[in-house]
Amino acid sequence: MLGYILRRLVSVAFTFIAVSLIIFLMMHAVPGGPFDANDMPVSEAVRAKLMAQLGLDQPLYVQYLKYMWGVLHFDFGVPYQSPGESVLQLLSRAWVPSLVLGGLGVLIGAPLGILLGMAAALNRNSWIDYLASAVATIGLTIPVFVTSMLLILVFAVWLKWLPASGWPNPERWILPIIAYAAIPVATYARYTRSAMLDTMSRPFVTVLRAKGLSERRIVFQHVLRNSAIPLVTVFLPMFIGTATGSIFVEAMFRVPGLGAYFVSSIETRDYPLEMALMLMITFMYCIAYLLSDIVYALINPRIRVGGAE
Amino acid sequence: MHITRKLVAALAVATALTLPAMAQSTITAPGQSTSGTYMDYMKTVYDRATFAELLQVPIATFDKEFELTPMAAESWSQSEDGLTWSFKLRDGLVWSDGEPLTAEDYVFALQRAATTGYDFAWYWDFAGGIKGWKEVTEGTADVSTLGLEAVDDLTIEVTTTAPKPYLPSVTSLWYPVPKHKVDELGDDWALNVDTIVSSGPFEIESWEKSNNSVVFTKSESYTGPWQAQVDRLEVDPSLGAPEVGLPAFLAGDADYSFLNTGQVPVAMAADPDGIRRNAVFATSYLSYDLESEPFNNVDVRRAFYHAVDRDELTSTVLRDIAIPAGSILPPGYPGYNPDVVGQATFDPEKAQQFMADAGYPNGEGFPEIEIWIREEGGYNGAIVPAMAQYLQAELGEHLGITVSIRQLPGADWMDGLRGAKNNIFIAPYEYDYLDPSNFYGIFYDGGRHNYHVDEYDALVAQADSESDWDTRYALYAQAEQVMIDQGLIVPLVHPITTAIISSELGGEATEPNSLGFTPLDRLGHYFFTHLTK
């Protein structure tokens, strides 16, 4: 197991280098630079000065090596969009609201989705099942900015129960958390339902019933555990996707989070921040899949990581 | 004590205690860009933090009638040869940390801009015409050779390369930089609320960098004209998108909001008295690569000029959000000339004749063209894509040609325009200073478009330094006639913005000007200091 983890970590390092190279080259292959979107072009002399200030006058390979050398020392540079702080300071500041809202969205949404999926599987073809399917379909198909708009319209503008948007006080978090939770609820409801139905049709469940185990014990101790693999596969990537912020939810609810930086760093050619965000996401996904693999082995002894046996 | 007296005394104390709290007025306003770097207009204009300019007092600025009003300056005068302007500052102006605000702070602002790489440097060369500006920005001359001098604490002298009769209006974007702070902290003085100092009607209380929202408070130390009438001003750029701004406004979280096309009828029905319209001093136009096929042929360009039905365009797809443009200058802008505008007629027969003259009868043999448009936010976001589709259909119908559309991010679009990577563009432009030289300058000798048209350039250069205003306007009209005769551009539309404001807002700034328009925060200094709640 330990050897396997070490081997995986080495492959993470290679993935990291490959991604960094691809992102760096793509970033610089896109035409234009940090000062090219202005309404009036700057003169060559002024442009040269501005580019030199950002170190963009050096050859590309020098820029890449310097940046990656910095990364090895946890120095991701200074974002062009916010020169008063380092990229790490920016991430640690802007990530908090995204982590709070997106994280809570998943942590609340996933159990709700599991419950909904269980209820649907246990009451197959009943109204509960149809309701769960409807909720899941709506949650997955309506874009989040439409859901957000509807939530604001109903709860803030018409009913006036909650504030429309904003960040600092917790009553302003409720609507964005609901918006964030829609996808985990829907995804989990669907996965749980189909995984449980699949498990319940297996012969061992019939054997358990024949042995006289209570239905509750069968469901919670055996069926749920055997249905957990797909749920684990989905959970960590979904958590990363949501807890790093959504540009739509954050824009609609005026959340000062990380989501918008994914777009603005590309639009404004903010190279240090763009690289840092991509490397961060790559790293998190690599680790998430590694953790998922380990968890598989823990919840299902039939799975052996490492493949040697 | 008598019971009545006791009561009166208690009431008086209670009133005294609650008055300051009751008088505390806060305005929540939408901002523009959700990212901003320095809270310093003279360091970066395009990437500045939200309303950085509100913290500082310009030499002069415009009121809602677009009358130039002295701010930091008390008066100004021009030398007889027209080359030197002298600005006299008001006595007693100070920075919020108590340091006196002097002529040196204004001169330093431009000296630093000329030497350290300023994204707005073109303005001071081309609009300001300051002597030595080009040489200093290019690094071939020393900063001491700039035509700028702080004669004494209250007198600034500006020397220009040619007479600049409109220089006072150019100073509406000339803000001071606290030299004492830059000496101590460098440009980083403008990065943190703790070290930012102000000289204007507002001070800064907080700045949330994740969405560039800023809280300003009324300055206690500012003694110049136009003092703030509200205590706090919260500007949140995430309210700038009407899709977010209007719901927040309806829920009571914002004091005004701009409206998108779909929202205008809803807001009109909800509160007709709260609606404010503004004609932005901006123009969208078609421009070309004049050097390459097929637009190197003047007849083709003339055909395009007459093939657009601006009235239909602005009464259908751009209803409520734009008005027809017959000139590069918008209505109400200095130098606006109805004779020029009258020539921009929709005349499909004439257009077809021009196409035939160019060798493309009924569009036969004309290459397929692709109009490049820029990804836009704000008012242009609603106008440009819809207009491109309209043009696609119109040009197909009237000229018999095939048009496609390609939308590019700002930097790529600009790269295409400058590098002639395509031959036709829809280009929007909003004024930077209130003089015709601003709009005509964008086509002057390379300017924004890589256009080099000798006859046009000569007229614009002559007009630029002409001190008789009637002659000047006549010269600009001649320059625009060259644009029309050579079909250099096709003026399309001027944008109209619509906003809804809360009935709690009051003050002159909420009332329309004599043209019936309310410029709102387009005139930041005027608007936020003439607003009450």
Side-chain angles (χ1 to χ4, degrees), chain B residues 284-340:
Chain B
S284 276
Y285 54 90
L286 278 177
S287 77
Y288 314 101
D289 173 15
L290 300 177
E291 309 293 324
S292 69
E293 293 267 350
F295 298 107
N296 56 356
N297 186 329
V298 63
D299 286 328
V300 170
R301 304 196 300 256
R302 298 279 287 148
F304 276 55
Y305 181 77
H306 287 294
V308 183
D309 188 350
R310 298 167 184 78
D311 290 324
E312 186 184 71
L313 172 65
T314 53
S315 61
T316 55
V317 288
L318 302 186
R319 197 192 143 135
D320 289 333
I321 54 173
I323 52 174
S327 160
I328 189 71
L329 300 185
Y333 196 85
Y336 179 78
N337 188 328
D339 293 337
V340 165

Side-chain angles (χ1 to χ4, degrees), chain A residues 236-237 240 283-293:
Chain A
L236 280 172
I240 294 169
F283 185 72
M284 285 168 61
Y285 275 110
C286 287
I287 297 300
Y289 282 115
L290 176 61
L291 286 179
S292 301
D293 286 353

Side-chain angles (χ1 to χ4, degrees), chain B residues 352-405:
Chain B
Q352 282 154 11
Q353 187 56 51
F354 275 121
M355 282 298 270
D357 294 346
Y360 305 110
N362 301 317
E364 288 158 25
F366 196 81
E368 282 189 28
I369 55 167
E370 188 175 68
I371 298 181
W372 282 19
I373 63 175
R374 189 171 67 174
E375 281 173 7
E376 303 281 355
Y379 57 77
N380 278 325
I383 292 176
V384 172
M387 183 159 67
Q389 289 173 42
Y390 177 84
L391 290 176
Q392 184 179 30
E394 279 281 280
L395 296 172
E397 183 185 337
H398 301 303
L399 303 182
I401 62 175
T402 308
V403 179
S404 56
I405 301 163

Side-chain angles (χ1 to χ4, degrees), chain A residues 31 39 49 53 93 254 269, chain B residues 116-117 137 210 236 374 412:
Chain A
D39 264 352
K49 269 185 210 165
Q53 282 168 14
R93 150 175 78 73
R254 297 194 290 138
R269 309 285 191 268
Chain B
T116 60
T137 51
S210 291
D236 185 348
R374 189 171 67 174
D412 305 344

Side-chain angles (χ1 to χ4, degrees), chain B residues 149-160:
Chain B
E149 194 187 346
V151 179
D152 57 48
D153 277 357
L154 298 178
T155 315
I156 305 168
E157 257 182 26
V158 181
T159 311
T160 53

Side-chain angles (χ1 to χ4, degrees), chain B residues 256-289:
Chain B
Y256 65 97
S257 172
F258 292 97
L259 303 174
N260 66 27
T261 328
Q263 292 171 340
V264 173
V266 179
M268 292 267 251
D271 180 16
D273 295 337
I275 300 293
R276 297 289 182 278
R277 278 158 46 92
N278 184 38
V280 185
F281 284 153
T283 309
S284 276
Y285 54 90
L286 278 177
S287 77
Y288 314 101
D289 173 15

Side-chain angles (χ1 to χ4, degrees), chain B residues 30-242:
Chain B
Q32 285 148 12
S33 170
T34 51
S35 71
T37 54
Y38 291 86
M39 190 58 82
D40 182 350
Y41 193 92
M42 305 304 285
K43 165 81 182 162
T44 167
V45 171
Y46 295 112
D47 295 327
R48 70 185 186 277
T50 292
F51 285 123
E53 61 273 30
L54 274 189
L55 293 176
Q56 312 303 348
V57 56
I59 298 277
T61 194
F62 294 100
D63 66 13
K64 69 176 174 187
E65 301 294 346
F66 293 94
E67 288 291 328
L68 190 65
T69 311
M71 291 292 283
E74 204 167 52
S75 61
W76 48 74
S77 59
Q78 192 179 16
S79 66
E80 280 202 5
D81 63 2
L83 291 174
T84 306
W85 283 88
S86 178
F87 294 89
K88 190 86 188 154
L89 299 186
R90 286 172 206 280
D91 202 1
L93 293 175
V94 290
W95 291 99
S96 54
D97 60 358
E99 288 288 315
L101 173 69
T102 65
E104 185 66 33
D105 292 316
Y106 285 90
V107 170
F108 174 69
L110 285 183
Q111 285 176 336
R112 189 190 60 166
T115 47
T116 60
Y118 179 46
D119 58 9
F120 211 50
W122 63 270
Y123 176 78
W124 294 100
D125 175 30
F126 144 72
I130 294 172
K131 185 171 90 55
W133 186 269
K134 213 180 183 82
E135 295 77 8
V136 174
T137 51
E138 285 172 1
T140 56
D142 187 73
V143 69
S144 60
T145 60
L146 272 184
L148 288 169
E149 194 187 346
V151 179
D152 57 48
D153 277 357
L154 298 178
T155 315
I156 305 168
E157 257 182 26
V158 181
T159 311
T160 53
T161 47
K164 287 273 175 184
Y166 56 91
L167 191 80
S169 75
V170 172
T171 68
S172 63
L173 299 183
W174 188 357
Y175 300 94
V177 171
K179 184 167 184 306
H180 64 286
K181 280 284 175 189
V182 178
D183 287 344
E184 184 194 339
L185 301 164
D187 291 345
D188 290 3
W189 76 274
L191 290 174
N192 291 302
V193 171
D194 300 341
T195 54
I196 293 171
V197 291
S198 60
S199 58
F202 289 97
E203 290 176 12
I204 188 165
E205 182 182 292
S206 65
W207 175 14
E208 167 56 70
K209 293 196 178 184
S210 291
N211 54 17
N212 202 13
S213 60
V214 179
V215 178
F216 298 102
T217 54
K218 179 186 169 143
S219 169
E220 297 302 327
S221 55
Y222 175 66
T223 57
W226 295 8
Q227 304 207 3
Q229 299 179 49
V230 289
D231 299 299
R232 290 174 94 247
L233 168 64
E234 297 178 2
V235 186
D236 185 348
S238 29
L239 290 167

